[in-house]
Amino acid sequence: MKLSESKVFSITIIVIVLVQLLLAFQGLDVCDDGFVLSGYQQIFNAPESVEYNFVYWLSTILGGFWYLLFPNGGVLWFKILAIIVNTGTFVLAYKLLKDYMKPQHALIGLAMVLFVNDYGFLVFYHNQLTAFFSVWIAFLLHRGILRQNLTLLFLSGLLVGVNVFTRLPNLSLSVLILAIPLMVFLKKERLVEAFKPSLFFVLGIVIGIGVILLIMILLGQFEIFSDAINTLFNLGKTRGSGHSIIDLVYVFIYNYKKVLLFSSAFLLMSIIFLLISEYLKNRRKIIYVLAIVIFAVFFLFFRSGGIYAVYAISFFGLILLQFNAVKKEAKLLAFIAFLVMVCLPLGSGGGIHSSGYMCIWLAVPLAIGYLFKLKTIGLSFGFENFDISKQFSKETLHKVISVMILAFFCVKAYHVSKEAYFDPGSRLEKTYLVNNNYTKLVYTTKERADIINELLINLDDYVMPNDYLLTFDNIPLVHFLTNTKPYMYNPWVMVYDENSFVEKLTKAEAQREQLPIVVQQKFNTVASFSDPIPNYLNSEEPTGRHYNKVRSKAMMDFLERNDYEIVWSNPYFNILKASKPKP
């Protein structure tokens, strides 16, 4: 019995929610998750202590409200919030896409986006909210342009303005204004017809920004936000901070070199596979062997390429759609998806690598839908006395695409089974709990649970909720688990460049009435837990990706001038306390 479109959609939603929920019970990251969770915990209690989180003010304030609603929900409930936002993005994108492709192809493409990350899912944070807003903005913009509805265009612009406070580089979505004159061009109207709708879109952006700033002022948080922005711009002046103009340009160039590389590989592989498949399509036994070969090659393609491989396919599909689509509405949607995919990662320290997955909610389904819509495709090239011309059948095309998609999901299933975000290891081994009210029902490996448990048990003798704590340098989750306020205006002090680190430490030392308990780590926690590193705290070590000797020296100088002494130690951590009160 053939299921109706609505039943297929409902079943898909149930499946993706259950898969996300199943994955939510495993994986405990002490870095990114700890950073945002501490922000949510303190945004209303001690907002100045999480000043740097104000760079992501909107997601932090929404997370803060969720924390007020479920104060004892802990890590798991913020993963549930992430599931709600992810699923909302999925549903909204489907509503926009289903009129321009077969619903099953839209669902396949959206599922690919949802599971594009190798590590499963994080707790709720700004990139998920950015993805939701970007789809919502595209939805309203597309509807507004087609219906010539100024209210929808205004609301689309309004959301662009609001979304700036989710993540400042989201201002790049203002480039979507170009979709308005594009439609005027496609309809062969005078360009002046684009002026009024563009004006409403821009007006929406300005009012959206103004509304959020007004809310900040009413909450008494505008000054903290201003300080956070100043810190961010100071980071942008420091070469190597990941936020300087030179760094961002380098990331952009590197990203698109990778995309170009995998685009070339995708095109070459596809041509070879189509040629061989078409030639062997009537030889059943051999075609099965070929399918296995194609699967294996695409498996390696996605495993090595990650987000760059997905971007390559998206670019390929969108460009074909833009030049070959019959409907103006489809061309408009493809153009919007293209702008989001290209512009939204701008300003991110990792570019496509770290934030590309939030930018492809429309691009991937449109590319997949178009590839499945192809009835035939021709290949023709020649030399002086040599010419090749070949037409590939719909059946051959769809078989190759289907094997490619199967390979994609197999790669993702394999990687998700082997790790959670910054918590590597088989999920079969993640059966241990950290003994803390905020980590209930969130399982990790025995090693990670033991290391964190030993620290928390001993730290409990020195800090209480609402005390200031200084964690150095990649363990912000400790703040959330102990409900302590970050001493240096940021739960994750490693994100400061060396100049900002010294500035914030000096400022805190001058402003805070008491000296904090200090927790020092002696091993690497980024991506995975390393073995103890004897020289981790040595300020003479050369600066590297996760280590900065200026930062380390400033930390050691702070401890020395305030007469700190180690009150507890193990191979992984030191707990230090000032031997006398602050004068």
Side-chain angles (χ1 to χ4, degrees), residues 118-185:
D118 290 341
Y119 44 73
F121 300 93
L122 295 82
V123 300
F124 166 75
Y125 81 129
H126 55 273
N127 275 0
Q128 298 153 352
L129 190 61
T130 292
F132 177 75
F133 269 113
S134 67
V135 173
W136 195 2
I137 291 164
F139 184 92
L140 294 174
L141 179 64
H142 190 259
R143 291 280 198 276
I145 292 173
L146 295 184
R147 298 175 184 177
Q148 298 181 321
N149 188 314
L150 297 178
T151 301
L152 291 179
L153 292 173
F154 171 79
L155 290 175
S156 179
L158 183 78
L159 291 179
V160 171
V162 169
N163 195 28
V164 169
F165 298 91
T166 302
R167 170 182 168 273
L168 293 179
N170 290 350
L171 183 60
S172 62
L173 285 181
S174 57
V175 74
L176 290 175
I177 195 173
L178 297 175
I180 298 172
L182 173 71
M183 195 59 183
V184 170
F185 171 77

Side-chain angles (χ1 to χ4, degrees), residues 39-95:
Y40 306 151
Q41 191 177 62
Q42 300 298 336
I43 185 70
F44 295 120
N45 177 55
E48 77 288 342
S49 72
V50 288
E51 174 193 294
Y52 192 78
N53 295 72
F54 274 58
V55 171
Y56 313 105
W57 181 84
L58 186 58
S59 58
T60 306
I61 207 81
L62 292 177
F65 279 119
W66 188 259
Y67 182 79
L68 292 178
L69 288 172
F70 306 103
N72 298 314
V75 176
L76 181 61
W77 277 88
F78 279 100
K79 290 189 176 186
I80 289 173
L81 180 57
I83 293 171
I84 293 171
V85 175
N86 287 338
T87 306
T89 308
F90 190 105
V91 172
L92 192 58
Y94 176 77
K95 296 294 183 185

Side-chain angles (χ1 to χ4, degrees), residues 26 427-433 443-446:
Q26 291 180 309
R427 287 184 179 263
L428 296 176
E429 298 174 357
K430 291 183 172 65
T431 56
Y432 294 85
L433 289 170
Y443 294 86
T444 185
T445 59
K446 184 178 188 303

Side-chain angles (χ1 to χ4, degrees), residues 558-572:
F558 169 81
L559 297 175
E560 184 177 341
R561 67 175 170 266
N562 289 294
D563 295 320
Y564 271 83
E565 59 184 16
I566 296 174
V567 293
W568 176 83
S569 181
N570 75 355
Y572 293 94

Side-chain angles (χ1 to χ4, degrees), residues 328-475:
K328 298 181 182 67
E329 299 86 347
K331 288 190 174 187
L332 176 66
L333 185 56
F335 184 66
I336 291 172
F338 181 84
L339 290 178
V340 172
M341 184 171 66
V342 172
C343 298
L344 195 52
L346 299 176
S348 169
I352 291 172
H353 176 73
S354 62
S355 60
Y357 70 93
M358 71 179 179
C359 314
I360 52 177
W361 278 94
L362 300 179
V364 171
L366 283 170
I368 295 298
Y370 181 78
L371 291 175
F372 271 118
K373 193 177 286 187
L374 289 172
K375 293 181 179 179
T376 61
I377 188 169
L379 175 66
S380 180
F381 61 91
F383 302 99
E384 187 173 343
N385 297 310
F386 179 72
D387 182 74
I388 291 180
S389 182
K390 184 67 179 176
Q391 291 286 329
F392 303 108
S393 66
K394 177 180 178 180
E395 181 185 28
T396 301
L397 284 167
H398 289 189
K399 283 180 179 178
V400 172
I401 296 167
S402 298
V403 172
M404 178 190 75
I405 292 171
L406 177 62
F408 172 86
F409 282 112
C410 287
V411 168
K412 299 309 166 185
Y414 173 77
H415 281 293
V416 168
S417 73
K418 292 293 183 182
E419 64 177 314
Y421 183 73
F422 277 16
D423 189 357
S426 170
R427 287 184 179 263
L428 296 176
E429 298 174 357
K430 291 183 172 65
T431 56
Y432 294 85
L433 289 170
V434 169
N435 297 322
N436 186 275
N437 287 333
Y438 293 116
T439 55
K440 290 178 292 188
L441 298 178
V442 178
Y443 294 86
T444 185
T445 59
K446 184 178 188 303
E447 177 196 29
R448 183 168 291 229
D450 287 345
I451 290 171
I452 297 173
N453 277 329
E454 188 172 1
L455 171 66
L456 294 180
I457 289 170
N458 288 279
L459 188 58
D460 191 49
D461 295 333
Y462 300 99
V463 295
M464 296 180 63
N466 286 317
D467 284 350
Y468 280 105
L469 179 68
L470 200 169
T471 58
F472 185 79
D473 54 344
N474 286 303
I475 44 174

